[in-house]
Amino acid sequence: MKKVLIILALALFAAQTVLADAEKKIGLIFDGAARIRYEFYNHSVHAGLADDEQSYFRFKFSGGVLADFYDIFSIYGKLTNESRSYIYNALGDAQYDIDETVIDNLFFNIPKLFGAIDIKAGRMDLPLSEYGEGFLFADGTPLDGSRTFYFNAARIRYSTTESSIELLGIYDPEYDELSVINDKDKKLNDSLEKAFVIYGRSKINEKLYIEPYYMLKTEESGPFGKDVSINVFGSYVKYDMGKAAVRAQAAAQLGNYGDEAGRAFGGYAYLDIPVKDIVKPFSIGYVYLSGDDESTKTVEAWNPVFGRFPMLSEIMHVLYIRESGLGYWTNLQMLKFEATFKPLEKMSIITSYNFVYANETITNTAGTIFGTGKHRGDLIRCRVGYNFSKNFSSYILGEYFIPGDFYYKDAQDASFLRIEFMAKI
């Protein structure tokens, strides 16, 4: 790693020297971010809706540099460190240790080849806004929390005025294969995951926008303990009706889980209705992720692919550890009612009530947290955000989960609180 840092330092020095002679042709852009979070979990993390509590601070620091060469190609690198300081931990480990520093991003980009082709390869983030709101593409490193989200990938994208199509290859190993500072050999994935993707985007007209895709994904002994190979066909759709808008996504999965055939279906639909000067907007949504019927020889459980982030709930995200894996969203129906308020120009308040259901019960309940029903529970969420400036923001997020009969009868209500401050340069 020392050799890598020395090479990067020399490269930056050389680039700055050239910059003096070609100021308008070669440029360096530096960025950085500091994030401080306080988080509190009760009855949800390790004990599973029983007596359990954790409270801690998370300190995350990132620094990156973009070297742009004549607007022909660019190279970007970023280092990130996130350490925790526990106030209380039911497991007994409450000390503070400086954690490892990782190579968060490291990629090159050729943005205007022949005027319409974009080539990007290396370690990169895939923005949720470009990939169907993150339903299938969000986090390539799900087991390190929100420390990193990167994918090891190569992408070729062809774009026109109203549409684009891209080929995307992904290679996400179980452990980091690049050198890090203070290496702690942290697990990033349940297994080696690979994928080949064809992803399109098209603005059909002023009202209709779609993102169709096909993907072949493989997992080596993933959370199911089997080698997985699945084909995914689907599309994201947004339709603007003027006074309201519909956002929806649906995908089918066909493949194999070891010696068993797999087929699954998942998707969601939201109706966004702005209420003038009051709610911006009010949303009614429904999420469906198929579950596995244990009486059949086919695996019907939904595979979240690369969507293993807390897209629906922080509490449920960790509860899935006892079921299929951290953030391994599956076997779910959710009815959501959400309202967004803007009491001040720089403030937003998002509140929601969620009725959560399971398609299938988990029959092997001995010594687990599961019951005999299908009602997962009722979830209440509230997020209050405030942007002090374009470089400094904060928010408070709270959740309260009341378990249903999908969990054992003595399951306790769970709560979660996060307070975050974020500064960027």
Side-chain angles (χ1 to χ4, degrees):
M1 185 60 200
K2 291 182 180 179
K3 293 180 180 179
V4 174
L5 292 177
I6 292 172
I7 292 171
L8 286 175
L10 291 173
L12 290 176
F13 177 77
Q16 288 176 319
T17 303
V18 175
L19 186 62
D21 298 325
E23 184 176 352
K24 295 183 180 180
K25 295 182 179 180
I26 301 177
L28 291 177
I29 300 175
F30 296 89
D31 66 72
R35 186 184 76 183
I36 299 176
R37 282 181 172 179
Y38 167 76
E39 293 185 338
F40 170 81
Y41 281 97
N42 191 32
H43 300 160
S44 62
V45 183
H46 297 290
L49 302 173
D51 289 332
D52 175 40
E53 183 177 313
Q54 283 192 1
S55 59
Y56 49 84
F57 287 95
R58 297 169 61 177
F59 303 96
K60 178 180 175 179
F61 302 96
S62 298
V65 58
L66 173 70
D68 186 26
F69 297 88
Y70 303 97
D71 290 330
I72 297 174
F73 75 96
S74 62
I75 300 173
Y76 179 73
K78 180 171 71 172
L79 298 178
T80 291
N81 172 275
E82 184 181 59
S83 301
R84 295 192 182 193
S85 178
Y86 282 86
I87 299 172
Y88 178 79
N89 185 357
L91 295 181
D93 180 10
Q95 65 182 1
Y96 173 78
D97 290 317
I98 296 177
D99 214 317
E100 61 187 2
T101 297
V102 300
I103 300 174
D104 194 331
N105 271 222
L106 185 61
F107 62 83
F108 74 87
N109 183 213
I110 304 174
K112 300 176 182 178
L113 187 63
F114 305 118
I117 297 176
D118 179 280
I119 299 176
K120 192 174 183 180
R123 179 166 289 185
M124 68 185 81
D125 296 341
L126 298 181
L128 276 65
S129 59
E130 295 183 16
Y131 294 89
E133 301 179 334
F135 181 60
L136 294 179
F137 299 90
D139 194 349
T141 57
L143 299 189
D144 76 347
S146 61
R147 182 184 69 170
T148 63
F149 301 93
Y150 65 75
F151 293 79
N152 300 295
R155 184 184 73 190
I156 301 176
R157 178 185 294 175
Y158 174 79
S159 301
T160 63
T161 304
E162 301 293 343
S163 63
S164 70
I165 187 168
E166 69 181 54
L167 303 179
L168 176 66
I170 296 173
Y171 176 91
D172 288 340
E174 194 172 350
Y175 296 91
D176 195 349
E177 295 182 350
L178 294 182
S179 299
V180 295
I181 301 173
N182 192 25
D183 186 5
K184 295 198 173 183
D185 200 30
K186 288 196 169 184
K187 199 171 184 180
L188 304 178
N189 254 312
D190 288 296
S191 66
L192 171 61
E193 299 185 342
K194 303 176 186 177
F196 169 74
V197 185
I198 303 174
Y199 203 97
R201 300 171 186 84
S202 182
K203 185 178 180 181
I204 305 300
N205 52 46
E206 292 301 319
K207 294 184 176 182
L208 180 61
Y209 172 79
I210 65 171
E211 294 181 7
Y213 51 80
Y214 162 76
M215 172 176 23
L216 171 62
K217 185 195 179 189
T218 62
E219 302 172 7
E220 293 185 4
S221 298
F224 289 92
K226 304 172 181 178
D227 289 343
V228 176
S229 176
I230 56 170
N231 296 275
V232 185
F233 308 83
S235 182
Y236 168 77
V237 178
K238 185 173 183 179
Y239 186 76
D240 187 354
M241 298 183 291
K243 294 184 178 181
V246 174
R247 296 175 289 119
Q249 188 160 184
Q253 300 177 346
L254 298 172
N256 297 284
Y257 289 81
D259 295 330
E260 296 180 297
R263 63 168 183 264
F265 177 80
Y268 63 86
Y270 288 92
L271 176 64
D272 300 326
I273 309 170
V275 181
K276 187 177 181 181
D277 299 326
I278 301 176
V279 185
K280 306 177 180 180
F282 176 72
S283 298
I284 302 173
Y286 174 72
V287 182
Y288 179 90
L289 307 175
S290 60
D292 187 30
D293 183 350
E294 297 178 0
S295 66
T296 69
K297 295 182 179 181
T298 302
V299 177
E300 297 97 353
W302 172 254
N303 186 317
V305 191
F306 299 106
R308 294 178 59 184
F309 73 114
M311 61 178 175
L312 300 174
S313 164
E314 297 285 344
I315 291 175
M316 293 191 63
H317 180 257
V318 297
L319 277 179
Y320 267 104
I321 293 174
R322 300 299 191 93
E323 188 172 342
S324 51
L326 178 66
Y328 206 93
W329 301 96
T330 189
N331 189 26
L332 176 76
Q333 292 187 56
M334 176 181 281
L335 182 62
K336 175 188 285 288
F337 300 91
E338 182 175 272
T340 301
F341 303 92
K342 293 281 292 183
L344 300 172
E345 181 181 352
K346 295 184 178 182
M347 177 183 285
S348 64
I349 301 174
I350 305 173
T351 61
S352 70
Y353 163 75
N354 307 268
F355 177 83
V356 194
Y357 193 79
N359 297 300
E360 306 290 342
T361 58
I362 296 180
T363 57
N364 183 18
T365 59
T368 70
I369 66 172
F370 304 108
T372 58
K374 294 185 178 181
H375 179 206
R376 285 185 177 271
D378 300 88
L379 174 69
I380 300 170
R381 305 186 82 209
C382 182
R383 185 187 187 278
V384 180
Y386 192 87
N387 295 321
F388 296 93
S389 68
K390 66 177 183 179
N391 295 325
F392 185 53
S393 62
S394 67
Y395 73 84
I396 300 174
L397 172 64
E399 292 187 3
Y400 193 82
F401 181 70
I402 305 170
D405 58 11
F406 180 79
Y407 300 101
Y408 65 108
K409 65 178 181 179
D410 295 325
Q412 300 183 39
D413 295 358
S415 56
F416 170 79
L417 173 68
R418 174 188 293 148
I419 302 172
E420 175 181 300
F421 293 92
M422 170 76 82
K424 297 180 180 180
I425 58 172

